[in-house]
């Protein structure tokens, strides 16, 4: 058993935290941590996957005869779990706003009042629950698109079990539904999918039906993207912002449209980088590794210049 | 404790499932879920890693003197676990075929007969077990290739412990062995590796000995690839299909050769995209970010055109 | 319950291990496995994250009033855990050296003497502990850089909770601190981050303050990279080696400077590949998908040639 | 890492097992272990407790509105789990009988045929399921009896949550239902309750409604006991056999009535020992620590002779 | 996968619950389950054991230098956990009272108002925390008594690690402290100890310092017992009620003094049964298996009559 | 999130610990906790049960063909685990002796030297391993005795799976083997069995072969008991000390023979209490609830006087 000199480390960390909080105007923060939990949200998402696709992603001993029982019991449970996470997130936002408003106060602070958060959370969760059947129908179209769009897919079941693109879009359609009301929580959901699949879809992105991402590692879809129906994209495609606007204080402007619009039936091949609020016209094909920062009309085909090859005279 | 209005959600989900099953001609499906389990296969793969490399990936208190005991006990156990997963997969295929054949029947169906699945599963698993020594020898060559091919590698042990490319190729060589008989199961194995490493190797790909993937995130190797000996590839390399052929009904043709052939001693640098049933001749070097859709002869060197640089007049 | 024919498999695996060990001059290895454990290091890193950011990454019921208690207790515990892993790693290095020195001996070997490893491990861990406050300050600057550099970031809390780039840099700054003394252990730490985020930073890389990686999947930063202050890079950027030097025996030379130097205030966009011991001058901007193998002066802007687009006459 | 001399131990254990199996005529046993699992049965019993008393022993977030969903889903699952354990038990009995019949054979044996076990198991489990409502009603009467019979009980909920006697009787009523068809399995269930509560009720015992055991530690109720309605017993009461009959070979006779009959409305106080096939007449009271080996008529009161007390002249 | 006929079982269980609830006047119960959780309380008690005896029952890597850090962090956490359980219990009592008051109402009910429960719970938990140092001192005296009273005890550490009597008295002193305010919760705590040790001490019992129970299995100490200082008792001792008084309605009277008073320095040997509101005078010795229902003066010695022995003429 | 006033509690606990340590002459204790762990020993005992009875208490998928592999691997592992626990216990004893010797020193203490503990622990564990085959043979005789002695036992397998007496005797025979060298550790083992079965056998007790405890709850067998062959005892039997001798200082004498000698073929029925260093002669029968404090010759039969019964005239 070792004996460590830890007091200077504790003091040093305390000072570092103090400096940071002063810089962030948080010195007077009180109370506990009101933040959504990644572990709890992971388990919520696992349950929602089972609710949406009970015979494929639900418990292994489920039978079709008892699907509805399973769904009813699990749904009731998972909505309550989600409700708790939504409440935490709403309280976090409330406390953050409150801390910001009182940053320069010298008085000891009261705790912010949380009276509306419970009611609001209840509404958010019930609204979310109501959209689950529509989410399932959207995802069915996504599964069909994957099956029909990949020669390597032998069944829709294989798509549901093995395709990271499907896992990502299930998480996205759930996160997107929650984005307007609890953006921080929806970001945690999208990062759960990102970590598992390498596919990074911002929950703010609007994505039409029949969407298919193949392989997917390295795909990035930005916050203000608008994607039409039956779009297909491959690994390492970026739909990003080109440059960031700054306001008069020199700070980044936030929340303005800065990512591409991709119209219906577009295909974007691996490694293409598409930046800025441009429009990829309907039915266009964007080739692999393309670098694109301007709009292209419907029916365009974009490819990168051919690479040079020659016979090596020495290895 | 909240009280949710869940009945409309349950009904909506039920209707969505009903519509999907009708569309998929599955309305009369019966029985439970016959599908391989990702969690069980993860644990099987962990055990197989320990069996193949007992002193590096086996239990931490193992000693060389008791290696064989550990292997014998674990192998017997893990083959039985695998056998159960193989049986599930074979029954799934059988049921799927049966459902397809009876899609338009109006009669209540009997359960499909599963009489040969047990025997077949036994043969598949015993055959798989018999190849484990050869798989170990192939993997030894892969480890050597990584150690010799990366200046940052300080020992073969570091390669086994830290290189995602090695984890991916262990999973691939196991999955490939099972691909002919239980393709769905082998796809689940390859996705386990994909999620952990960002390296997506289809279990159908044929890969020679001494194969090394460095860093690896974003690598995609398609189903019908054929890769020779001593090939080395870097992160974000795609060996994919160029375009998909359709049959007379307009459906995608499946299972035809559509991915590259990479001959012995080829090196492919980061981000290169190589598409279609083309051949990269022996000893060729493919540069980073190259986009290549035609064959190149042995000893070729392919590079992308230089990027343009200039001094910014304003930042 | 099946009965498997496993004896030939066991024998075959034994022979394969024997051949490998002979080839690696390890035939006389003795004792157990002295190797750091990925699972234990994962749990150590989780605790260190909590120690560095108690109210954001620590236990969910922590309050600001009891932060220091939590840190003190956890720190004492985690340093002892780390100490055990450092000892294992030092013994591994010692045994490896010993095996190498005695590879051709015909005599039965004594166990190598481990007398200095405990003392050395204690020094390494105490030194590491002492740097934690500085690591926290560096990470605060990284968090600020992310918040200020991404229009999609709504708070520094969101950055800490959701940005894989932050997770990667926390792991890196810890791993880098341990790199000089226990390189194998620090490599395991970097692979933990790589598997979770798709960001592969070699623990040897030197990285200045205010570093921000956005999205991050596919980023590779090599062992001898030197990165200045306030650098920002995007997904799929490679800072790699161009070619590998060989010594007179034809083996790869190891441990020489072969990766880029990136000066202060450089921005590198998605998919850029920068190879070799070149210098990217201060304040330069490297465009997406660029392929760069030569130095550029301060204030440079590098972009790839435009992709070709045309209207498809047929789809 | 120590190195142990284990080969002689292994050999010694092997020889000991060999000798035992020879003595037990088991030398030719084959196949795996067909035995019910204590861990699985524990989890089955937990689920059955939840099914029987959903709002008291079910999941903590259950609401009355979703009770039936929870029960339906859990019941379907738990019956399948139980079915697997019943099958194992039936196969064990079959194999045991087969081994016994072939104990003196010199030929290598075929595996015994298990063809009827599956069908039989299905019938047993469905029959068991059908009795669950009656078991619940019996248990309700037991709970009422406990509440009415103990001045320390403040609510029926306290009885369900805190009384080991209730836990024991829940397990007993379930085990008793299974005793006729799978006695070994029912014995495992009764031992689960015994270990948790110190109350040892043989699953063969017949126990009427409104049964209450207070405190309970050390209670033993033998296999052939018959207990009437509204009986109340206290800790350390034994209802056992007086002596064991032997057959002509000098072996113990098994399965004959050898334990007491306790008629309706009897109360037996702590530590009383009642042995043999005697009858305790209706409404009798048996005092604490009594030793009773003969029948007593209805309305009897039995007490032990008074203890002697005197003032100690020295301590 | 079997298919069970579960609908009749579900309906039967529903009807049984309905009948029970009607009989219990609970038909209109609403909301979720407000009940303390045995699992959570187990973990709370484990933490409290660590807080009270950090170097013996705390985490295995604790050192004396960091005891207070551990205690502070753990205490803050465990009080919050306990607070949640206390709140549940108070709400349960409130709801129970409310249901009782509205048992005959025909109107749909509002949810009972829980406004004071939070404040009350906070007071209860803070009061409990304040007594922990006194509880520790009491327990130290208990440990000393065990060490001095048992020739088999070789150290006070052995007493803390191995004596079930100590585990039981730790749980009791905690449960007793909570008994006046949350009796149901304290009963769950006492049952946790009863199940682990076979020692059943009602949380209402008043027990002086220096109390020692040896072996302990089967000990029962009733709700209204009063036990003096330095009392020692052995396994299977009962301190119970002799008979139960009934009120005019024929229901059991509850909450009146009905268990023995045991004065200072009394020793009670194994199996003694002492019943009723009698007094065992100071310094008395009660022999094994004694049955005692009347008071004895100070300095008494009570023993049971000698057993009869003779030489068996036949076995 | 509540905010607790914990500083006074922390201070109060600190003062209580300080007072206790002063009283125990421990004020200068240093270093960590050297104590065997109940959790680790539980898992060691589970493994040893599997090693001793692989096909009954080992892993559920074991087959007879691979028994020896399982045993070899598990044995090597479990001996190392046990070795670590033995070392902790030896260091504890050493530190305790050292603290005692230096209780009155005013100087800061060095850490006690632990140089011989490792070697000693190795010898203890290897010796223990060598006795395992003999332990198995003893246990086989115990199992046979149970099967032959209980009419309710239907097979030796039922005895191994369901009889708490067998679980207790397995733990005892293991603990007894370790008692001479690491008494504290063996006491922890015996308490594990006591908690699970209610049977409290001190590891010092000497017990001959063919020993059978039926039901067992409440059985207590003291440290210096000597029990012959083929002895059978029932629940709640005490073999204890009658009185405790004190030395000249008035402290209890420890470690002298003070418990009964029970000769071969004795049967002791439920609830009998036998106290002091007396001898129960060969073949005797001791009746239920008997209180016995003097020796009886071979062939004795002891019973308690009959209880009084009469017809109650009123209830």
């Amino acid at each position: 058993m070792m004996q460590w000199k830890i007091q200077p480390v504790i003091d040093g960390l305390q000072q570092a935290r103090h400096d940071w909080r002063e810089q962030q105007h948080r010195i007077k923060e009180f109370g506990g941590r009101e933040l959504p939990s990644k572990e709890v949200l992971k388990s919520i998402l696992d349950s929602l996957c089972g609710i949406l696709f009970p015979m494929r992603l639900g418990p292994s001993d489920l039978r079709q005869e008892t699907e509805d029982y399973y769904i009813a019991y699990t749904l009731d449970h998972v909505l309550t779990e989600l409700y708790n996470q939504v409440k935490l997130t709403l309280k976090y936002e409330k406390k953050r706003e409150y801390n910001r408003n009182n940053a320069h106060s010298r008085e000891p602070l009261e705790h912010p009042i949380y009276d509306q958060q419970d009611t609001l959370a209840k509404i958010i969760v019930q609204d979310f629950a109501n959209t689950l059947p529509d989410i399932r129908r959207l995802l069915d179209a996504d599964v069909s698109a994957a099956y029909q769009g990949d020669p390597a897919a032998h069944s829709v079941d294989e798509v549901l079990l093995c395709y990271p693109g499907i896992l990502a879009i299930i998480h996205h359609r759930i996160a997107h539904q929650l984005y307007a009301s609890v953006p921080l929580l929806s970001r945690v959901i999208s990062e759960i999918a990102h970590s598992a699949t390498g596919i990074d879809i911002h929950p703010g992105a609007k994505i039409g039906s029949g969407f298919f991402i193949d392989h997917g590692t390295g795909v990035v879809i930005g916050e203000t993207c608008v994607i039409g129906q039956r779009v297909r994209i491959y690994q390492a495609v970026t739909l990003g912002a080109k440059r960031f606007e700054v306001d008069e204080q020199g700070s980044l402007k936030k929340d303005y449209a800065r990512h591409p619009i991709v119209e219906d039936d577009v295909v974007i091949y691996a490694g293409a980088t598409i930046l800025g609020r441009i429009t990829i016209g309907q039915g266009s094909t964007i080739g692999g590794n393309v670098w694109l920062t301007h709009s292209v009309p419907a029916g365009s085909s974009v490819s990168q210049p051919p690479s040079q090859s020659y016979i090596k005279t020495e290895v």
Side-chain angles (χ1 to χ4, degrees), chain A:
Chain A
M1 193 63 55
M2 305 303 305
Q3 184 170 337
W4 308 104
K5 294 202 187 64
I6 61 173
Q7 199 57 51
V9 184
I10 295 167
D11 295 343
L13 286 166
Q14 191 183 61
Q15 188 60 45
R17 287 199 309 275
H18 180 270
D19 293 352
W20 168 258
R21 284 166 182 162
E22 193 137 84
Q23 173 192 337
Q24 297 286 324
H25 308 301
R26 287 194 172 178
I27 213 71
K28 280 173 303 200
E29 184 175 356
F30 45 65
R33 184 170 84 167
E34 267 93 24
L35 283 172
S37 153
K38 194 177 284 190
E39 268 61 45
V40 176
L41 283 168
K42 256 185 206 170
S43 127
I44 288 173
L45 265 289
D46 281 350
S47 295
L48 287 172
C49 285
I51 287 166
L52 288 165
F53 298 96
M55 292 295 289
R56 292 298 173 261
L57 305 179
S60 65
D61 64 347
L62 198 66
R63 291 177 305 107
Q64 209 163 312
E65 289 82 357
T66 51
E67 279 179 333
D68 280 344
Y69 297 131
Y70 160 73
I71 289 172
Y73 169 58
T74 310
L75 184 58
D76 192 73
H77 173 84
V78 84
L79 292 180
T80 300
E81 292 282 299
L82 180 60
Y83 167 73
N84 290 331
Q85 295 298 310
V86 169
K87 271 197 303 186
L88 279 174
T89 311
L90 293 175
K91 289 181 179 175
Y92 161 78
E93 297 290 356
K94 178 81 178 176
K95 191 168 77 172
R96 205 169 141 247
E97 178 194 322
Y98 178 85
N99 282 336
R100 207 162 38 212
N101 292 344
N102 294 278
H104 302 288
S105 161
R106 295 272 140 206
E107 301 302 305
L109 298 176
E110 298 290 308
H111 203 287
I113 317 284
Y114 286 159
D115 53 344
Q116 297 183 308
Q117 274 64 25
D118 289 17
T119 309
L120 186 50
K122 195 170 175 181
I123 293 168
I124 291 169
V125 170
Q126 184 67 57
D127 283 356
F128 168 75
N130 295 343
T131 66
L132 283 171
D134 288 345
I135 287 179
R136 160 80 199 223
R137 287 175 189 279
L138 276 171
L139 291 169
D140 282 344
D142 297 330
V143 169
S144 285
Y147 175 63
Q148 288 158 13
D150 182 11
H154 292 86
S155 69
V156 288
D157 299 326
E158 183 187 337
V159 169
L160 263 170
L161 279 189
C162 303
Y163 276 59
I166 289 299
L167 195 66
I169 194 70
I170 295 175
H171 280 68
H172 174 71
R173 297 209 183 278
I174 288 167
H176 182 66
Q177 185 62 32
L178 294 162
Y179 181 63
S181 42
V182 275
L184 179 59
L185 185 150
S186 69
R187 277 287 287 129
V188 176
I189 294 174
S190 67
E191 261 309 301
I192 291 170
H194 185 193
S195 179
T197 64
I199 299 171
D200 185 0
I201 311 179
H202 196 285
K206 293 189 174 62
I207 302 182
S209 78
F211 184 61
F212 173 40
I213 302 172
D214 202 5
H215 309 298
T217 311
V219 163
V220 174
I221 299 177
E223 184 182 18
T224 63
C225 275
V226 181
I227 297 179
Q229 301 200 356
R230 294 170 304 280
V231 168
R232 196 164 83 224
I233 72 178
Y234 288 83
Q235 67 270 22
V237 162
T238 293
L239 303 176
K242 190 178 178 187
R243 73 181 54 191
F244 301 148
E245 301 180 16
V246 289
D247 61 19
E248 300 99 57
Q249 284 81 36
S251 297
L252 279 187
K253 284 176 61 178
K254 306 221 163 188
D255 296 323
Y256 65 100
R258 61 196 183 280
H259 300 101
I261 296 168
V262 179
E263 295 186 348
D264 295 351
D265 300 302
V266 167
V267 180
I268 309 175
Y269 286 102
T273 305
I274 302 175
L275 304 181
R277 189 55 161 192
I278 63 174
T279 298
I280 309 298
Q282 183 178 349
S284 294
T285 302
I286 311 299
N289 287 19
V290 154
W291 168 260
L292 188 64
T293 59
H294 58 271
S295 294
V296 296
S300 295
S301 184
V302 185
S303 59
Q304 78 156 6
S307 298
Q308 301 166 326
S309 75
Y310 50 92
I311 304 296
K312 289 185 285 188
T313 53
E314 48 170 23
V315 181

